[in-house]
Amino acid sequence: MRLEERARHAAGAIRHGVELMPVRAAAAAPGTYEGFLRFVERRRRNQRIATIVTALLLALLAVGGAIRMLHHASEERPADERITPQRVSDLRPSWSAPSGASTDQYSPTAGEDAVFVSTNRGQLLAYPHACEGSCEPMWRFENGRALAHPAVSDGIVYVAEASGASGARLLAFETDCAAVGPSCRPAWTGRIGHGVRWDQPPLVAGDLIVVPAVDGLYAFPIGCGRVNETCRPARMIHTPGPVLALASDQASFYVATDREVLAYAASCASDCEPTWRWPIGRPQIIASLGVAGDTLLFGTGYPSPTLGDNHLWALPTVCADHEGCAPLWSLDTEGNTFVTTVGDRAYVVDQGANTDRTILAYDLPCSVTTQGGCDPVWEAPRPAGWEVYDPAVVVDGVVYVGSTDGYVSAYPSDCDPVCRPLWETSAAGYGPVQVAVGGGKVYAGGEGIYAFGLPQGRAESASGGTSPGGSPLIFPVALAIVIGAVLVRRFLRSRNA
Amino acid sequence: MQRSGRVRRASSVGEDPLPAVRPPRAFEDFYRSEFASVVGLAFALSGSRSGAEDIAQEAFLAAYRIWPRVSVYERPEAWVRRVVANKSVSFFRRRGLEVRALAKMAIGRHPSLPDLPEEDAEFWATVRSLPKRQAQVIALHYLEDVPVSQIGQILGLAEGTVKAHLHAARKNLVARLGAEEEEP
């Protein structure tokens, strides 16, 4: 058959079939005009329903995303960066920057996006948490004057010049300093007399940044200044001796000198009298102070454990007697003790201990024993390494202790009565190690900076599942809002059509 | 042809086939007079008996929504046929039609169009296997029996382009069906 003939035959078959489409007497049947109108109405109704449902779903997505973003911004660390007791044993070396000089001391503190490291050579270095394999600082500051341990809060890194020549300063840097180049200048500075002890970081207390200097406390308002300003302290409290340790709660600042422990009202303007004081007799070293459960905890001691007479003391934070304050309890220790408090839990590290009772955890207030002491919740034997020179660091339920010879040990905060470490490493160089934790990494500062991280691609949320980060939700939330608005507009137009 | 800087496609809001030269027509009259043949065109190009009615309904719905504009065209039926021609040859739409046809049969709704004789069904299946434009030109030429110039207006193509597609389509059909070619 010819093509033309076949084509016309086939076309005729369709035309014939169309004519044979059943003629339905019923109104509103498909193929009739009434049926078409019903089809139109049905389509409109379905579109309205789909628009409403989609708009509701998008609204839920937008609201849920906004709540999630606020939650993440306000308090929660991104779920996949948490090093929990279940994951800490997976830590492995990530990168390192050894200084090459055994006399160097690097002191890290972790911020939201980076770790900030001060050195006794007068450097402040910022390394991003995202580094793997190797790392260069995002920005650096150098002034040749030894810097003490830094502190970071609300986008500002605070570091004080260590005691020495007059004219020491508190330096405040914006954490995103790299935005203006690799070399950073302080946002503002403040005079702090003769400086601080090298192991004393500034303390953030409410809306103040408090510096424990050798001649007293200097308190600067947070956000003191911007762009190369020189700030004046809001308050200055002269203390009877150099400040060896500092702690605070909502009501008071607690200061340790080499002869006494003093409490000052947090509302103290300047040069106010202490609310109470507790003499310790002969000049001694108080390495750190901690406040937990209305208890002020600290240790007194001497540089060498062989001199003996080292104690751990627990005083009430509120004392009725202005000239004396009876201890709640006390313990003999082998050496100086370092105190770290988290909530009502205190972790005490005995520097001189050579027994199973080197790291002790107490819940405060404590039930005093018949011997006038306090039984710990758990205790751990001496960690690997020779001695501990810094307080423990507690993050996400893990207690980190750094000791000499580059050792870092990690214990669960909720542990058995005799606690064993979940993780230990000796890969943190040499010298006494100070630990900082943040951005999914554990940093050990000694004669360099050493970072340890979890293997890539393994994430954990608080509920045990995977969880995406919060900030990328900004764009889908915004898109959801825009699409929802368009759909609502279409819905309103279809109703009016 | 562009308006307001945007190119609109015939399958949605279509291009104007011709400028307005006649008074508006009642949609109901238009629907009643054109529906059956539009279903036929949809059937030829989609191959789906139940889907052909759906495609036709959607094309008339599109016209209904902008009827004040379409109604004053010289050939509103050409606008509807362009919509049908484009919707029918869409691959994804064909798959969707198959799924919906199965669903309708599952609930007892059968297509209105009867089956075609085997030889005619084979012819239209071969037409649907051609490139889209060739299939559209063949269906409009033989099924709607409209001249080349009107096919060009329906599909938005130049007359010469329509002739080229028609020539190529015939050659392909001869090769695939084994028919004898006849000079147009």
Side-chain angles (χ1 to χ4, degrees):
Chain A
M1 187 187 291
R2 293 176 188 169
L3 176 65
E4 194 73 14
E5 191 177 332
R6 187 164 178 183
R8 296 210 178 275
H9 190 275
I14 286 186
R15 281 195 286 270
H16 181 64
V18 167
E19 289 170 4
L20 290 180
M21 280 198 300
V23 177
R24 294 185 178 85
T32 66
Y33 185 66
E34 290 74 16
F36 173 74
L37 292 178
R38 280 182 59 85
F39 169 79
V40 170
E41 188 51 42
R42 208 164 46 241
R43 179 62 63 88
R44 278 184 181 158
R45 184 192 65 218
N46 291 343
Q47 283 183 340
R48 282 191 210 121
I49 292 171
T51 300
I52 291 171
V53 170
T54 306
L56 282 175
L57 288 174
L58 290 173
L60 282 174
L61 174 64
V63 170
I67 291 173
R68 186 186 176 91
M69 281 195 297
L70 289 172
H71 179 69
H72 275 254
S74 65
E75 57 183 38
E76 286 288 331
R77 220 170 266 110
D80 59 2
E81 292 181 358
R82 291 176 58 190
I83 304 172
T84 61
Q86 293 74 28
R87 304 303 312 282
V88 67
S89 58
D90 294 330
L91 284 171
R92 80 287 181 267
S94 176
W95 58 269
S96 64
S99 71
S102 60
T103 55
D104 284 355
Q105 181 62 47
Y106 282 42
S107 303
T109 190
E112 199 170 310
D113 299 316
V115 61
F116 305 96
V117 183
S118 63
T119 76
N120 57 345
R121 288 174 178 257
Q123 299 167 305
L124 182 64
L125 308 162
Y127 295 92
H129 290 318
C131 276
E132 286 292 339
S134 64
C135 201
E136 291 295 322
M138 297 188 300
W139 57 261
R140 62 172 59 226
F141 165 81
E142 295 192 48
N143 71 346
R145 303 183 76 169
L147 298 176
H149 292 187
V152 60
S153 174
D154 201 24
I156 303 290
V157 184
Y158 303 96
V159 64
E161 291 170 334
S163 59
S166 63
R169 299 174 301 166
L170 171 70
L171 310 170
F173 300 84
E174 296 189 352
T175 55
D176 60 353
C177 205
V180 293
S183 180
C184 192
R185 297 192 62 79
W188 58 267
T189 63
R191 295 291 182 192
I192 52 172
H194 291 274
V196 304
R197 280 168 54 90
W198 72 275
D199 58 351
Q200 292 295 315
L203 175 72
V204 177
D207 58 354
L208 294 174
I209 181 76
V210 184
V211 182
V214 295
D215 56 343
L217 297 183
Y218 290 80
F220 298 85
I222 286 190
C224 188
R226 289 284 183 264
V227 191
N228 216 19
E229 285 189 13
T230 299
C231 281
R232 302 175 71 84
R235 308 174 200 174
M236 199 276 160
I237 301 172
H238 285 97
T239 52
V243 178
L244 303 181
L246 173 65
S248 71
D249 58 19
Q250 288 190 338
S252 304
F253 294 116
Y254 306 95
V255 174
T257 69
D258 60 347
R259 293 176 184 273
E260 56 188 336
V261 174
L262 309 102
Y264 294 88
S267 58
C268 175
S270 280
D271 272 338
C272 52
E273 291 297 311
T275 54
W276 59 259
R277 55 207 311 164
W278 188 76
I280 59 173
R282 293 173 293 165
Q284 298 182 59
I285 292 175
I286 298 178
S288 61
L289 291 168
V291 181
D294 296 329
T295 303
L296 179 67
L297 207 61
F298 59 94
T300 57
Y302 297 91
S304 171
T306 58
L307 291 178
D309 203 18
N310 302 296
H311 303 280
L312 178 66
W313 301 96
L315 297 185
T317 55
V318 178
C319 282
D321 186 356
H322 288 253
E323 293 299 325
C325 203
L328 298 170
W329 52 270
S330 67
L331 293 172
D332 293 339
T333 59
E334 297 289 328
N336 284 304
T337 50
F338 302 94
V339 178
T340 303
T341 56
V342 179
D344 291 342
R345 172 70 62 89
Y347 301 92
V348 177
V349 180
D350 187 341
Q351 184 185 37
N354 201 15
T355 66
D356 288 338
R357 291 173 60 91
T358 298
I359 304 172
L360 305 121
Y362 295 96
D363 281 340
L364 301 173
C366 190
S367 298
V368 182
T369 64
T370 53
Q371 291 81 26
C374 178
D375 287 332
V377 175
W378 56 262
E379 57 192 37
R382 185 191 186 98
W386 186 243
E387 279 187 318
V388 177
Y389 281 88
D390 286 283
V393 172
V394 185
V395 179
D396 289 332
V398 181
V399 182
Y400 301 89
V401 177
S403 50
T404 51
D405 297 327
Y407 278 88
V408 180
S409 306
Y411 304 82
S413 57
D414 292 324
C415 201
D416 295 332
V418 177
C419 194
R420 303 290 172 183
L422 298 172
W423 174 74
E424 269 186 339
T425 182
S426 61
Y430 298 98
V433 170
Q434 185 189 359
V435 177
V437 181
K441 294 233 173 36
V442 174
Y443 298 96
E447 46 70 82
I449 186 72
Y450 299 82
F452 302 86
L454 294 171
Q456 294 288 312
R458 296 174 70 180
E460 178 183 283
S461 72
S463 60
T466 58
S467 175
S471 56
L473 275 175
I474 288 175
F475 298 106
V477 166
L479 182 63
I481 292 171
V482 169
I483 294 174
V486 169
L487 289 174
V488 168
R489 183 164 173 259
R490 284 186 62 186
F491 166 71
L492 293 173
R493 285 175 66 184
S494 70
R495 283 189 63 188
N496 295 331
Chain B
M1 184 172 65
Q2 291 195 354
R3 292 186 176 182
S4 302
R6 291 168 52 191
V7 176
R8 289 175 294 172
R9 299 192 181 279
S11 60
S12 55
V13 179
E15 296 290 346
D16 298 349
L18 283 173
V21 292
R22 54 190 290 170
R25 200 173 149 185
F27 182 82
E28 183 175 349
D29 293 339
F30 173 74
Y31 180 89
R32 292 184 190 282
S33 66
E34 299 295 329
F35 183 77
S37 56
V38 168
V39 169
L41 177 63
F43 177 40
L45 289 174
S46 69
S48 171
R49 290 187 290 146
S50 60
E53 286 192 56
D54 291 341
I55 291 172
Q57 294 279 42
E58 287 192 23
F60 279 100
L61 177 61
Y64 182 76
R65 283 178 175 151
I66 56 169
W67 185 242
R69 186 189 307 168
V70 175
S71 65
V72 297
Y73 292 165
E74 183 175 352
R75 294 194 180 85
E77 62 274 13
W79 188 93
V80 172
R81 278 161 177 76
R82 178 190 291 188
V83 173
V84 167
N86 287 331
K87 284 183 183 294
S88 301
V89 298
S90 160
F91 171 81
F92 294 106
R93 182 165 294 278
R94 278 190 194 160
R95 299 289 84 79
L97 287 175
E98 288 168 4
V99 171
R100 273 193 284 178
L102 286 172
K104 285 180 182 175
M105 289 182 66
I107 62 173
R109 283 183 57 189
H110 295 278
S112 305
L113 285 167
D115 281 326
L116 292 177
E118 186 178 330
E119 200 174 60
D120 299 323
E122 182 193 10
F123 174 83
W124 288 114
T126 308
V127 169
R128 287 191 291 274
S129 72
L130 297 174
K132 290 180 189 177
R133 281 301 191 201
Q134 292 180 21
Q136 289 171 336
V137 165
I138 287 290
L140 287 167
H141 180 69
Y142 289 109
L143 193 58
E144 296 286 322
D145 204 18
V146 293
V148 168
S149 58
Q150 281 194 30
I151 295 176
Q153 287 176 356
I154 291 171
L155 298 179
L157 301 174
E159 195 172 316
T161 307
V162 173
K163 287 182 180 176
H165 283 311
L166 193 57
H167 178 71
R170 283 181 172 140
K171 282 192 71 174
N172 283 330
L173 287 172
V174 164
R176 296 180 192 190
L177 293 171
E180 295 176 27
E181 188 170 5
E182 185 169 351
E183 289 299 317

